[in-house]
Structures are given as structure tokens and as C-alpha cells.
């Protein structure tokens, strides 16, 4: 087990921020912490980092966080919602954190290339865009090649393209074996990244489930938006109806609700009915509340 | 070490610090030049006058810069959110505070070395240094005072959540130590007809007074210049006075710094902006 939390409790005076939260996270997992503001997501991350006291037991990579906070942090690369860097260039920042983490500076160029910010290495950090600053934070987090990445709402302050690029990078790191723990408000982010979701409410762990199950419980479904030409529109709706899909026509496209692993099912049905699909994309969320594209 | 180097580099880029360095070095150089009468028979007196003037310069400038730089340091990082991000790295709170302190201390001592170095060089070139050992001891005392003030500044920085509050506290302490302390003791002594020994002991608690008395001892054998309190101290403590004052200044470095370390190590409330919430 990479992370073991047992009866994790954190109190601020009379207020209980975390109440006997227990969970385990295995090597290579990507786990999302989901919950509203004040649910305990960030408090849990702070406990993992060992930057605050808590009751209960918590081990990270076999290290007792409460007794060896610094050692636990060597196993973790941390990316906050918005990293605040000192007034230095990108390269100086990387060198500073490499020395702070007592690791060789030999990885710096590779990491800057990997994060696609190597061409900005002589710029001051303050001149970078939000997306580039987050990629720099990720590069800093990866300096010591830690087995665990902890991310606190990492894409909250990014635009759509930067969000997509950042999530893609985290996905690659997870596929390469990094254990990823992140907090998020965004269902598309959770769906794209997490293999499991820990749902927190009022400091308690209320649910542990796969992301699609959480989406269903929240009434947030994943939709396939299918584009068909006007002559095939009526036939498309008939086929979807016959096959039992939940769908909503929308202009020259049709939204089709999909479940676990069901992205291909509507496309397959339309193909069998010889209906040419011009294009499609995936959408997460409640169609009545707005949408987020994948 | 990485943090100390960063703090040193930051201090050397800090406009406020650069102004202080130039002002201190310029004034120290000007004082050493102005106090030279030219005739060799006056050299001993001019050396003492230069050192005495430098002591007054140190008493005014060093506490101000030491306190304010220290106070703005941690509190500033806390306010921007940089501290929270720093503490999420594999470093301990003690390492962070000590690293910052050492970096700022290096910058401060470099400034003093520059000022005293230029003044000493000017004196030496004119053949005005008749007691290099005493001059160096004054420099060491100025170092100790600077470190003590920096320790106080860091303590303010740990205690205050906002930079403005930390700086306000630092400026109040500066006023208290430089002006109000003396006036308060004098007033109290007159009103209560306090014994001279008590007046001396209360005054000597102030690290600035410790520096002043010790520095005077480096340029003359007794403390007549300080009046009855000085005579009392000379008679009461004799040769032990200088070591006692040195030990007192060391205590003023160690006690506030240790207090800051203990308090900071126990603090959990990080600034929320931009990082850990």
C-alpha cells in the first residue's frame, strides 16, 4: 500500500475538519478527493503532506507522516491550486527547489522539456501564464522523482486548453506508475484521471466508488454528442429509441447518455443501421446545467 | 543552505537594503574622513572620536534595518502564500526559519563589514588606527547587535500574521529601544529616586545599551563618559563588565531566535492564499 490512513481526525478548536477518515491507496492508483468546500479535501491533503497535526494513523510509502513529516514529503510531489514562487526565473526556480530537495540538477532540462516550458527557462516566473506556472509547479514536484503526486485542485485556475493539457500530462505520469491523489470539483477531471473517488462530506468519508458511479449518483452523466447530416436525423433518433438509449436532440447533433465503458455502443448501433456519423465528442455533466467537453 | 543563499541574493536585490548599505557605508566613510585633523598628535583622539561616531551610527541604523528586514521576511512570505508552498517541500520548519535567518544575517553582516571596512581603511591610510584590536572588537559588537535585532525581527515575523503588523511591531520596538527606553528610565529614575545601581542594570538590559557600553569600553578604559551610572558599573564589575556585556548580547541573539523557532515549529495556521487551504 502506498498510503494508509486510519481514523484520520483533525480538529480546529471545537470544529472537526476530519472525522475518523480511513482509506488506503495502492501503488499506481489515481484517486480523487471529491466534496464541497469545507468537506475536508484540503485538510486530508495537508495531513498527507505532514504540514499539520492530526489524530489517527497515516503512513505514506511506509513512512509515519506524523513522526517523519519531512521524510514523507520526500516521497510526495505537491502541486497546489496556484503555486506561489519567489521572484526568480524558471531555471533559477528549478535550481532552487532542486537544492532544497537535495537532488541533482541533472533532471532540470529534461523536466522543463517534458512540461514544454524549456523555451521559457530564462523568463521570470511572474511573466508565465497560469498554465505554464502549473506546469512549472509539476516540474518542481517531479524533481526528486517521487512515487506519489498530490495535487490540490490543480486545474481550477486554468483555461480549458490548459486544463486539458495538464490533465493529459498527469494521465501520462499515472500510466508511467506514479500514484496520484488529487482534490477536484470538476467531474470531467475526475472522470478523465481517477480510478477511484473518495467522497467527503462534513469531514467524513461518505462514499468510495468508481468515478462513473459518482456521476450517476450526482445525476451527472457522460454524454456522447453525435453529429449526423439532416437526411439521417429521423432515422438516428429511431435507432437510438429502439436500442433503449437515453438521448436529447440538439440542433444538428444528438446527445446520447453513456454509462461505464459504453462510449462505443451508440456508435456501433448507428453503424449497424448504416447511418454515417460525421463527428462526435464526449461531454461530462448535466446538460441542463452546462457542460464540459473532453 | 539553498534557502540561505536565496535570502542573501534577495537581500542584495532589495532596494531598501541597498539604500541602507550605501547610506551606512557612505556615512561611515564620511565620519572617518571628517574626524581626521591631520596632525599626528591628534591621531589617538581622532580614532576615538571616529569610533564613537560609528557607535552612534550603528545605534541608529543597525536596529532599524535588522528589525525591519527580519519582521518583513516570514510574514511577507506567509502573506503571499510562498511560505505554504515552501513548507510543503521536504524541509522542516526549523530548517526554513534558520535558513532564512542565516541568509539575512549574512547580508546584514556584509553591509556592516563594508561600512566598517571602508571607515577602517580610511583611518588606516591616514595613520589614524592606533588600536586595531579595539576597532575590530567594536565591529564584532556591531555584528552581535545586528544579529540580536534580526532575531527580534524574526520573532515579530513569526508572531504577526500580516507584514504590516510585523513591521509596525518592529518599528515600535525600534523606537522603544532607541529613544523611549532611555527617556523612560531617566524619567522613572528621577521620579522614584532610584538607586544608581538599579538605573544601570535596567538600562543595561537594553541590547543597544549593552552594545554602547561595551563599545565605549573598547575605546577607553572606564565609563566616566556615562556619568555616575558608568562609574558605578566600572567599580562594581571591573574587568568582568565587557565579558558580561558580550554574554548579554549573545543572549539577546539566542533567546528571541529560539523563541521564534519554537513558536514557528508549533504554528499550523499557514496563509491560505494560493496554496494549502
Amino acid at each position: 500500500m502506498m498510503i494508509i490512513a486510519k481514523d484520520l481526525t483533525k480538529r480546529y478548536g471545537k470544529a472537526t475538519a476530519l472525522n475518523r477518515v480511513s482509506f488506503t491507496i495502492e501503488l499506481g492508483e489515481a484517486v480523487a478527493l471529491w466534496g464541497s468546500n469545507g468537506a475536508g479535501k484540503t485538510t486530508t491533503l495537508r495531513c498527507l503532506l505532514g504540514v499539520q497535526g492530526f489524530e489517527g494513523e497515516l503512513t505514506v510509502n511506509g513512512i509515519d507522516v506524523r513522526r517523519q513529516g519531512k521524510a514523507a514529503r520526500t516521497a510526495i510531489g505537491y502541486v497546489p491550486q496556484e503555486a506561489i514562487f519567489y521572484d526568480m526565473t524558471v531555471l533559477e526556480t528549478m535550481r532552487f527547489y532542486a537544492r532544497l530537495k537535495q537532488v541533482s540538477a541533472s533532471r532540470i532540462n529534461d523536466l522543463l522539456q517534458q512540461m514544454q516550458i524549456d523555451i521559457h527557462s530564462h523568463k521570470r516566473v511572474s511573466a508565465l501564464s497560469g498554465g505554464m506556472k502549473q506546469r512549472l509547479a509539476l516540474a518542481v514536484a517531479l524533481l526528486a522523482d517521487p512515487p506519489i503526486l498530490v495535487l490540490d485542485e490543480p486545474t481550477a485556475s486554468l483555461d480549458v486548453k490548459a486544463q486539458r493539457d495538464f490533465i493529459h500530462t498527469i494521465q501520462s505520469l499515472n500510466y508511467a506508475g506514479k500514484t496520484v491523489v488529487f482534490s477536484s470539483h470538476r467531474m470531467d477531471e475526475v472522470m478523465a484521471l481517477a480510478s477511484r473517488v473518495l467522497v467527503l462530506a462534513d469531514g467524513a468519508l461518505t462514499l468510495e466508488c468508481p468515478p462513473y458511479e459518482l456521476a450517476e449518483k450526482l445525476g451527472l452523466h457522460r454524454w456522447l454528442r453525435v453529429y449526423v447530416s439532416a437526411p439521417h436525423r429521423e432515422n438516428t433518433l429511431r435507432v437510438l429509441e429502439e436500442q433503449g438509449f437515453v438521448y436529447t436532440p440538439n440542433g444538428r447533433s444528438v446527445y446520447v447518455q453513456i454509462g461505464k465503458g459504453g462510449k462505443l455502443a451508440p456508435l456501433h448501433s448507428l453503424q449497424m443501421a448504416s447511418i454515417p456519423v460525421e463527428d462526435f465528442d464526449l461531454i461530462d455533466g448535466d446538460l441542463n446545467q452546462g457542460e464540459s467537453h473532453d | 543552505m539553498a534557502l540561505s543563499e536565496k535570502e542573501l541574493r534577495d537581500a542584495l536585490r532589495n532596494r531598501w537594503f541597498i539604500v541602507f548599505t550605501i547610506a551606512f557605508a557612505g556615512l561611515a566613510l564620511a565620519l572617518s574622513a571628517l574626524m581626521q585633523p591631520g596632525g599626528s598628535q591628534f591621531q589617538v583622539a581622532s580614532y576615538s572620536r571616529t569610533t564613537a561616531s560609528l557607535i552612534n551610527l550603528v545605534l541608529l541604523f543597525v536596529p532599524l534595518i535588522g528589525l525591519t528586514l527580519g519582521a518583513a521576511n516570514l510574514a511577507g512570505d506567509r502573506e503571499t502564500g510562498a511560505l505554504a508552498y515552501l513548507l510543503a517541500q521536504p524541509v522542516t520548519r526549523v530548517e526554513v526559519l534558520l535558513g532564512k535567518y542565516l541568509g539575512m544575517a549574512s547580508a546584514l553582516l556584509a553591509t556592516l563589514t563594508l561600512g566598517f571596512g571602508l571607515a577602517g581603511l580610511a583611518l588606516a591610510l591616514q595613520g589614524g588606527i592606533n588600536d586595531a584590536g579595539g576597532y575590530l572588537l567594536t565591529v564584532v559588537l556591531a555584528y552581535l547587535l545586528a544579529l540580536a535585532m534580526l532575531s527580534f525581527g524574526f520573532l515579530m515575523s513569526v508572531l504577526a500574521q500580516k507584514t504590516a503588523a510585523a513591521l509596525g511591531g518592529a518599528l515600535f520596538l525600534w523606537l522603544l529601544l532607541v529613544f523611549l527606553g532611555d527617556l523612560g528610565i531617566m524619567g522613572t529614575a528621577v521620579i522614584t529616586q532610584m538607586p544608581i545601581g538599579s538605573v544601570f542594570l535596567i538600562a543595561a538590559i537594553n541590547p543597544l545599551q549593552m552594545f554602547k557600553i561595551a563599545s565605549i569600553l573598547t575605546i577607553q578604559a572606564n565609563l566616566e563618559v556615562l556619568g555616575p551610572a558608568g562609574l558605578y558599573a566600572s567599580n562594581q564589575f571591573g574587568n568582568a563588565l565587557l565579558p558580561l556585556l558580550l554574554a548579554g548580547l549573545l543572549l539577546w541573539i539566542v533567546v528571541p531566535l529560539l523563541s521564534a523557532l519554537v513558536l514557528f515549529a508549533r504554528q499550523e495556521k499557514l496563509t491560505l492564499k494560493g496554496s494549502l487551504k
Side-chain angles (χ1 to χ4, degrees), chain A residues 283-294:
Chain A
I283 295 158
D284 290 307
D286 182 345
L287 292 181
N288 296 320
Q289 298 290 320
E291 58 195 43
S292 55
H293 296 252
D294 221 4

Side-chain angles (χ1 to χ4, degrees), chain A residues 89-246:
Chain A
T89 66
V90 169
L91 196 57
E92 285 170 347
T93 300
M94 289 293 281
R95 285 180 182 152
F96 168 66
Y97 282 102
R99 290 202 63 197
L100 198 72
K101 291 169 185 245
Q102 298 182 326
V103 294
S104 161
S106 60
R107 280 169 53 81
I108 288 176
N109 286 338
D110 286 347
L111 283 169
L112 290 179
Q113 272 176 12
Q114 195 183 337
M115 296 302 141
Q116 297 171 347
I117 48 174
D118 50 322
I119 55 167
H120 305 289
S121 59
H122 295 290
K123 274 189 189 170
R124 301 207 86 73
V125 175
S126 54
L128 299 182
S129 67
M132 285 193 278
K133 277 183 193 165
Q134 280 306 79
R135 278 185 273 158
L136 175 60
L138 188 55
V140 169
L142 293 168
L143 268 168
D145 197 17
I148 303 167
L149 284 175
V150 168
L151 308 100
D152 191 2
E153 299 187 24
T155 65
S157 56
L158 304 185
D159 61 39
V160 175
K161 185 181 180 311
Q163 275 175 16
R164 194 176 299 178
D165 291 347
F166 196 81
I167 289 170
H168 181 71
T169 307
I170 301 293
Q171 268 176 334
S172 309
L173 290 165
N174 182 228
Y175 294 153
K178 300 279 183 211
T179 304
V180 177
V181 185
F182 67 104
S183 66
S184 181
H185 276 122
R186 302 177 57 87
M187 183 49 76
D188 59 331
E189 192 171 81
V190 172
M191 293 290 276
L193 271 179
S195 50
R196 191 156 55 98
V197 188
L198 304 178
V199 181
L200 292 160
D202 296 327
L205 183 63
T206 56
L207 181 67
E208 232 182 298
C209 63
Y212 72 87
E213 205 173 300
L214 174 67
E216 282 173 7
K217 281 185 191 297
L218 294 172
L220 299 170
H221 299 284
R222 178 162 258 207
W223 300 81
L224 185 73
R225 188 177 190 176
V226 182
Y227 295 85
V228 289
S229 58
H232 295 287
R233 185 179 164 81
E234 286 302 316
N235 205 18
T236 299
L237 299 181
R238 184 184 57 76
V239 170
L240 292 172
E241 182 74 39
E242 282 174 5
Q243 297 294 321
F245 289 106
V246 176

